[in-house]
Amino acid sequence: MSDETTLSRPRLAQGTLLLASMLTIMAGATISPALPAIQREFANAPNAGVLVGLVLTMHGLFIAVGSPLIGALTDRYGRRWLLLVSTVLYALAGGSGFVLDSLIAILASRAVLGLAVAGVMVTVTALITDYYEENRRDTILGRQGAFMSIGGVVLLPLAGVLADIGWRVPFLVYTVALVLLPAMVFTLPEPNRRDPTGNRPTSLDDLHQTLAQFPLRTLALIATLGLVGQIIFYMVPVQIPFYLETRTGASGTVIGTALAASTGAGGVASLLYGRIRRSLSVIGIVALTFGFMSIGYTVIGVSGTVRVVVVGLAVAGAGSGFLLTNLNAWIAAVTPEAVRGRALSVLTSTFFLGQFLSPLVIQPVSDTLGLGTTFAGVGVVLGGGAVVFALAAVYTTPPTESDSEFPEHPRNSPEKASD
């Protein structure tokens, strides 16, 4: 935490940040089980099949598009107000599906929801990196990843129950975000950073100085890892249902349970991130991430039974549980506060772009090679990546915020927040 920013209610503030993080996973999981019913409701609409599919993915595209703008706004005008506005917009746009009667109108509301999710995700992560010092921050970021994963485990079954009541009912879940507003208002102060409105570029020299604060090559590497990691990770929710159904004849309940194993393992891994980070560098954890995912995907590719596939999903899920947490921590370590919101927004954008691109990239490959061979092949490639980053971890020391890369942002005060 900054030496000038003190949380008056540190436990409640941390809980608010973690619960707000769950809003991001709710964006898609909440309505996923209702898609078949939505398809039936709008069966006579032109291009219904394509449009109903976009109901699930539209928000992801707008998260990717809107995140850079959100990041710039957080750095220029502050974090807190944008989090509050985004939370209200999240509830209104997400919940509007309960009353909308047009598929096009629902798609428009999902686009607005994507912008709201971008606002919540970027501002919450930025607040965590602002409030907490490096070691403590890694633990909180790990808990953030765990809450996001646990949210998926809880919401998928709940969303299924609500979808059985009626296809509109799951949309009401989004309004729960309003419950967090009072806690956000009273427990999350604006961080006492350098005046965010005082760093606006007013000339080419000022713009050059702003750009100079970005470690561009490192950020490009982090963004690429986020993009590729999500393209690969999203093979699980997109391809595993078809893989299990065709190879094992698994039912929808079995498929849901298998996917929950992956999500749950990711949550456990995220909880352990803070401890692991004390022993490994961020590059070393990239190697660990790819190593777990490599083993898991290879097991999935060669398996012929549901049980073994579930084991592979759990192992791969543990690896993916480190991914976002570690990349967020890496960005926080190499960027000064003045540009950190923009840097984090780049990762958010590439992450959700990876989700959107995953079926477009993987489907042609799996159509040619088959899903089993595709999973096994990706596992081999990930294994090679794990070796490369393991070697890099041995011979490279990543810069941290305590280094002289940006000495104008000292971080030498003791941590003030408690668990």
Side-chain angles (χ1 to χ4, degrees):
M1 185 188 303
S2 165
D3 56 353
E4 299 177 359
T5 304
T6 302
L7 299 177
S8 59
R9 300 176 179 86
R11 292 181 183 273
L12 184 56
Q14 183 186 144
T16 302
L17 291 168
L18 296 178
L19 290 173
S21 299
M22 292 177 63
L23 299 179
T24 60
I25 193 67
M26 284 172 56
T30 297
I31 65 161
S32 182
L35 289 181
I38 296 174
Q39 173 80 60
R40 290 190 294 270
E41 177 71 18
F42 296 101
N44 295 327
N47 302 313
V50 174
L51 295 179
V52 170
L54 287 175
V55 169
L56 185 62
T57 60
M58 179 68 79
H59 77 284
L61 179 61
F62 275 80
I63 292 171
V65 172
S67 290
L69 174 60
I70 298 295
L73 290 174
T74 62
D75 284 338
R76 178 169 294 185
Y77 299 111
R79 328 288 202 202
R80 183 174 178 270
W81 75 270
L82 190 54
L83 174 60
L84 298 177
V85 171
S86 298
T87 302
V88 173
L89 192 62
Y90 180 99
L92 296 178
S96 65
F98 184 75
V99 296
L100 295 176
D101 290 319
S102 164
L103 194 53
I104 298 299
I106 292 176
L107 285 173
S109 73
R110 301 295 290 177
V112 177
L113 176 68
L115 297 176
V117 173
V120 172
M121 189 168 186
V122 171
T123 53
V124 166
T125 305
L127 285 172
I128 290 173
T129 62
D130 289 341
Y131 287 158
Y132 300 98
E133 287 283 3
E134 186 172 2
N135 291 335
R136 183 75 182 126
R137 175 200 304 148
D138 292 337
T139 298
I140 304 302
L141 286 173
R143 292 176 182 174
Q144 180 192 34
F147 266 68
M148 293 170 68
S149 297
I150 293 169
V153 173
V154 173
L155 278 171
L156 282 169
L158 174 61
V161 172
L162 296 177
D164 287 338
I165 298 173
W167 69 267
R168 295 181 180 276
V169 179
F171 286 95
L172 292 177
V173 175
Y174 293 103
T175 62
V176 172
L178 296 176
V179 176
L180 293 176
L181 270 180
M184 290 177 178
V185 170
F186 292 109
T187 68
L188 303 180
E190 181 66 31
N192 290 322
R193 308 175 297 128
R194 182 186 300 183
D195 181 11
T197 62
N199 293 316
R200 303 180 190 178
T202 57
S203 67
L204 288 178
D205 288 341
D206 292 337
L207 178 61
H208 182 269
Q209 291 176 7
T210 298
L211 292 175
Q213 296 182 75
F214 283 91
L216 294 178
R217 285 183 294 181
T218 302
L219 289 178
L221 173 60
I222 294 171
T224 301
L225 289 173
L227 178 67
V228 174
Q230 279 300 92
I231 289 175
I232 292 173
F233 168 72
Y234 247 63
M235 288 177 65
V236 170
V238 174
Q239 306 295 344
I240 282 295
F242 301 101
Y243 184 65
L244 286 176
E245 185 179 61
T246 56
R247 179 163 287 202
T248 69
S251 65
T253 301
V254 171
I255 292 171
T257 302
L259 293 174
S262 175
T263 305
V268 173
S270 295
L271 282 175
L272 297 175
Y273 177 79
R275 295 182 181 180
I276 295 172
R277 180 68 179 88
R278 297 186 187 103
S279 301
L280 293 176
S281 68
V282 286
I283 295 176
I285 296 179
V286 172
L288 188 67
T289 298
F290 282 6
F292 272 99
M293 293 180 72
S294 172
I295 295 171
Y297 276 55
T298 303
V299 168
I300 293 169
V302 301
S303 173
T305 66
V306 173
R307 290 184 179 180
V308 178
V309 169
V310 169
V311 171
L313 286 171
V315 175
S320 64
F322 293 127
L323 185 63
L324 179 60
T325 300
N326 188 50
L327 297 182
N328 276 330
W330 194 349
I331 286 178
V334 299
T335 55
E337 290 176 344
V339 295
R340 189 172 292 158
R342 278 165 280 186
L344 289 168
S345 73
V346 171
L347 179 59
T348 299
S349 182
T350 55
F351 231 67
F352 282 92
L353 183 61
Q355 291 183 13
F356 184 77
L357 291 177
S358 182
L360 301 179
V361 173
I362 299 299
Q363 195 64 49
V365 179
S366 64
D367 287 344
T368 302
L369 301 179
L371 278 174
T373 302
T374 301
F375 271 104
V378 170
V380 172
V381 173
L382 286 169
V387 172
V388 170
F389 278 96
L391 292 174
V394 173
Y395 295 105
T396 305
T397 301
T400 67
E401 62 187 335
S402 60
D403 293 338
S404 59
E405 184 178 353
F406 37 89
E408 67 273 22
H409 298 277
R411 294 281 204 159
N412 48 21
S413 65
E415 178 58 66
K416 296 182 182 179
S418 65
D419 288 346

